[in-house]
Amino acid sequence: MDETNTTDAARGIIGKTISDGVPIIWNFVNELPVEEVVNTHPWLVSIRWAYDAVLEESFPDKDTQAAIYRLDAGLEPLEQAQIGYRAYARTGKGLREWVFYAADREQFVGALNEALAGHEVYPIEIKFYNDPGWSDFRELLVDFGFAGEA
C-alpha cells in the first residue's frame, strides 16, 4: 500500500493505493472492534456503485460524487443503530464500495431500506459474504501496515 494519513475524522484513516496506474482512496478505522462484535457479525456486506470514471483520474464526476455523498450520509444510521459496522470504503477505478459487517442479512437490508426511504434510487449492488473472522478487513489492516491491530 502506498500512503496512509491519520485524520481527526470519525473514520480514522485515509489511504491511497495505485492499481493499474490509477489511484484508489481507502477510508477505514485502523483497528478491529471488540471481539464480541467480530464474533456476532459474520456477514460481510459489500455495497458497490460502479460509475464512469473521469478519464485518468478514475474518480466520479461532480454530480455522481454528490450522489455518492448523499448515499454515504444515508448509510450512517446503520452504524449508529449498530445494525452494521463499517469496515471500510474505497473509491477509484470506476467503483465506490462500502463494506460493512452485519449480524443478520435480513435485518441489515430492512434497516438499509428504512435508512434510504425518501432518497433517490441509487445504482448499487449489494452482496453478502460469510466472513466470520473478518478476514477481508484483517487483510486490509495488514496491507496498510496495521498488522498489530489485526
Side-chain angles (χ1 to χ4, degrees), residues 51-117:
Y51 57 82
D52 291 329
V54 178
L55 302 175
E56 299 85 28
E57 293 296 316
S58 88
F59 297 109
D61 62 43
K62 289 181 182 181
D63 290 340
T64 302
Q65 186 64 48
I68 286 172
Y69 287 153
R70 289 190 297 275
L71 174 55
D72 193 57
L75 296 174
E76 288 296 321
L78 299 173
E79 292 179 272
Q80 293 167 355
Q82 299 181 349
I83 300 295
Y85 287 83
R86 187 188 305 209
Y88 62 86
R90 66 179 176 157
T91 306
K93 264 186 110 174
L95 178 69
R96 170 64 176 206
E97 180 181 29
W98 296 264
V99 172
F100 287 83
Y101 281 89
D104 181 271
R105 294 182 296 181
E106 289 181 20
Q107 181 186 30
F108 185 91
V109 170
L112 177 64
N113 286 332
E114 185 177 314
L116 298 179

Side-chain angles (χ1 to χ4, degrees), residues 6 56 126:
T6 302
E56 299 85 28
I126 302 169

Side-chain angles (χ1 to χ4, degrees), residues 3 7 14 20 38 42 47 63 66-67 77-78 94 98 114 129 140 144:
E3 301 173 22
T7 69
I14 297 175
D20 298 326
V38 172
I47 302 173
D63 290 340
L78 299 173
W98 296 264
E114 185 177 314
Y129 303 93
L140 178 74
F144 271 98

Side-chain angles (χ1 to χ4, degrees), residues 15-33:
K16 179 174 85 172
T17 60
I18 303 295
S19 176
D20 298 326
V22 295
I24 298 175
I25 303 300
W26 300 78
N27 182 308
F28 60 98
V29 175
N30 66 341
E31 62 186 11
L32 290 166

